[in-house]
Amino acid sequence: MKWFRDARYGMFIHWGLYAIPAGTYQGVEYPFGSEWIMKNARIPLAEYKKYAKQFNPTSFSAKDWVRLAVEAGMKYLVFTAKHHDGFAMYHSECADYNIVDATPFGRDVVRELAEECKKQGVVFCLYYSQYQDWEHPNGYGNDWDRDAIKKDFPIYFEQRVKPQIRELLTQYGPIGLLWFDTPYDMEIEYCRELVEYVHALQPACIINGRIGYYLGDYRQMGDNSIPAATFSCDWETPMTLNDTWGYKDYDQNFKSPADVIKMLVNVVSKNGNLLLNVGPDALGNIPEKSVEILREVGKWLKVNGESVYGTTLYPTLPYELDWGKFTYKDHKMYMHVFQWPITPYEILVYGFKTKVKKAYLLSDPKKMPLPVAQTFEIARDQHRLRVRLPEQQIDPIDTVVVLELDGEPEVYNT
Ligand code: GLC
C-alpha cells in the first residue's frame, strides 16, 4: 500500500460510449451520471450498440491526458476499462463488444494509457464493473431489455468477468489497483474468488473497497462523500469535478480550484486519498474547464506538495479548527491556513503539547522563522500554541505553515 499512501491524489477517468449521448437521449436531458444513460433512458441494447459504430475519438491523446495528470500533481490514474454498459475500452478477446473490434476508431485505449503512464511515471490503474453489465445476457442490471430473472450470474462470472480480469492483468503490464464498483448483492464466494484471482495474477495489485464485504485493501467512501472523522485505515473518496462521472456538455457545475484544494486537504488531513474525476467527450477531449481547474490545483501542489504527498496519520485535536486543517509527516505538522487571522495575525491552537522547534512558511525558500509561543495554564490544564503570521495573506486559498516538532506529535484529546 506504500505507493497508494504516498500518492494521496489520483485522476479518475470515465470514458466510454456514453460520451456520445452525453446525458441526452431523444431530446431528453437525464439527471445523474451520464454513464448511466442506457439504464436511466432505458435505451434498448440494439439502439445503444449503434453508438459503437459512431465512436471515433480522433482527438484522443493518451500522452496529453497523462501529461495533464502530471501537471495536476496526480500520482495515479484510474481508467474505466469496462463500465456498467458492458463495453470494453480495450481489445478484449472474450467479447467483440469492445473499442477495437466494434468501433471505427479501432485503437486499444487501455494499452495507450498504460504505456504513457509508464513513460510519465503515473501509476496505472483500472476501473472494472464486476456485477453490472447491461450487454451480457447474464450480467446484472439490464431489466428493461430482457427479463431480469433470467440472469445467471455464475455464467457471467466465468464467461466474462474472470476472462476479462485475466486479460487486463496479463496484457497491460503492472496494474496499480483494480477499482471495482456496485457489488450490490453479489454473493461473497464470488467476491472472495475474484480477490484470489487478482492476487494470483498480480499479487501487488491493490483492490478497492467496492469488491464488497470489506474484502478490499482500503475503505471506499461513497461518491463525493468525505468522512466526518479521521480513519486510521487506508481510504479514498471518489469525487466528480462537476456532477457527472461521464461527459455531459450541459453540466457546467464545476468545483473551483479553491474547492478542490480544500477538499484534497480535508481528505488528506483525515488520512485519506482523493480520486478526482474527469469525463472526456466523444472526440477524446478532456473538457477545457476541467483542464483549467486541474492545472490551477497543480500549481498550488507544486509549491505545497510536501504537505500532501506521503503525509501520515497523526493524533487529531478533538475540535474543529476555525482557520483550516492540519496534515502531518516526519515530525512536521503542516498548518493549512484557509482563513487568514485578523490583527495581531496570530493563530492560536489549544491542546497541542509537543514542543515546536521552528515555524516557517512552506513557500519561503529561506524558511525564515515565524514567532511561536507555547504556554501551559495549569488551572485550566490547557496547552496553548500561538503562531504569528505575516500581515499579508500569502496564498488566497491555502497558505501552509510548517511546524518542526521536537518529537512525535502529542495532543490533549480531552
Ligand atoms: C457509482 C456510479 C458509477 C461511477 C461510480 C464512481 O458507483 O454508479 O457510475 O462509476 O459511482 O464512484
Side-chain angles (χ1 to χ4, degrees), residues 12 14 18 33-36 80 83-84 127 132 134 179-182 184 210 220-224 238-240 245-246 275 277:
F12 212 170
H14 277 71
Y18 39 79
S34 66
E35 69 287 351
W36 276 69
T80 47
H83 206 269
H84 308 329
Y127 168 108
Q132 289 203 78
W134 303 330
W179 211 97
F180 291 107
D181 196 16
T182 61
Y184 291 149
R210 291 190 193 172
Q220 191 71 62
M221 297 306 165
D223 297 347
N224 289 300
M239 186 162 283
T240 51
W245 302 96
L275 184 62
N277 183 73

Side-chain angles (χ1 to χ4, degrees), residues 192-355:
R192 280 210 187 97
E193 187 177 340
L194 195 45
V195 168
E196 283 148 27
Y197 198 67
V198 170
H199 287 166
L201 291 165
Q202 287 203 26
C205 179
I206 294 173
I207 293 173
N208 79 325
R210 291 190 193 172
I211 181 75
Y213 303 99
Y214 296 103
L215 295 171
D217 295 303
Y218 67 87
R219 287 287 299 273
Q220 191 71 62
M221 297 306 165
D223 297 347
N224 289 300
S225 74
I226 298 173
T230 291
F231 276 75
S232 57
C233 66
D234 298 297
W235 61 270
E236 177 193 70
T237 288
M239 186 162 283
T240 51
L241 255 185
N242 44 9
D243 294 315
T244 171
W245 302 96
Y247 177 70
K248 233 187 203 182
D249 55 357
Y250 58 86
D251 178 344
Q252 293 302 315
N253 185 31
F254 286 95
K255 296 171 180 71
S256 68
D259 296 332
V260 172
I261 288 167
K262 289 178 181 173
M263 281 169 186
L264 172 61
V265 168
N266 185 4
V267 162
V268 173
S269 75
K270 293 166 179 165
N271 193 42
N273 282 27
L274 180 68
L275 184 62
L276 186 60
N277 183 73
V278 293
D281 65 19
L283 284 178
N285 298 304
I286 294 175
E288 198 41 51
K289 190 77 186 136
S290 301
V291 173
E292 277 165 33
I293 296 162
L294 291 186
R295 282 188 177 142
E296 269 311 296
V297 176
K299 283 182 203 151
W300 181 86
L301 278 166
K302 223 162 189 57
V303 173
N304 301 288
E306 175 189 322
S307 67
V308 169
Y309 303 125
T311 50
T312 54
L313 200 58
Y314 61 96
T316 49
L317 289 162
Y319 61 88
E320 287 290 335
L321 305 169
D322 57 4
W323 45 268
K325 298 285 178 191
F326 273 122
T327 57
Y328 171 73
K329 179 168 64 180
D330 302 332
H331 296 158
K332 287 179 189 163
M333 291 300 289
Y334 298 93
M335 299 171 77
H336 293 262
V337 183
F338 300 157
Q339 183 69 38
W340 207 253
I342 53 171
T343 177
Y345 314 111
E346 214 173 55
I347 289 195
L348 169 55
V349 178
Y350 296 104
F352 192 82
K353 293 164 81 170
T354 313
K355 180 154 176 29

Side-chain angles (χ1 to χ4, degrees), residues 10 16 36 52 64 66 81 93 123 153 162 180 191-192 201 271 290 328 336 354 363 369 398 408:
W36 276 69
D64 291 352
V66 177
E93 297 295 327
V123 179
F153 180 74
K162 285 170 71 176
F180 291 107
C191 303
R192 280 210 187 97
L201 291 165
N271 193 42
S290 301
Y328 171 73
H336 293 262
T354 313
S363 57
D398 174 5
E408 291 295 309

Side-chain angles (χ1 to χ4, degrees), residues 48-72:
Y48 190 83
K49 281 191 165 181
K50 289 175 183 166
Y51 292 132
K53 297 264 172 290
Q54 302 166 37
F55 196 68
N56 193 13
T58 47
S59 306
F60 169 69
S61 157
K63 186 176 187 170
D64 291 352
W65 289 12
V66 177
R67 188 186 301 132
L68 174 62
V70 172
E71 281 173 30

Side-chain angles (χ1 to χ4, degrees), residues 67-88:
R67 188 186 301 132
L68 174 62
V70 172
E71 281 173 30
M74 296 162 140
K75 301 299 182 184
Y76 60 112
L77 184 152
V78 181
F79 178 74
T80 47
K82 180 192 73 89
H83 206 269
H84 308 329
D85 62 4
F87 187 74

Side-chain angles (χ1 to χ4, degrees), residues 136 138 152-161 190:
H136 193 285
N138 290 301
D152 184 344
F153 180 74
I155 294 179
Y156 175 68
F157 189 66
E158 291 302 328
Q159 277 182 4
R160 186 61 55 87
V161 177
Y190 293 106

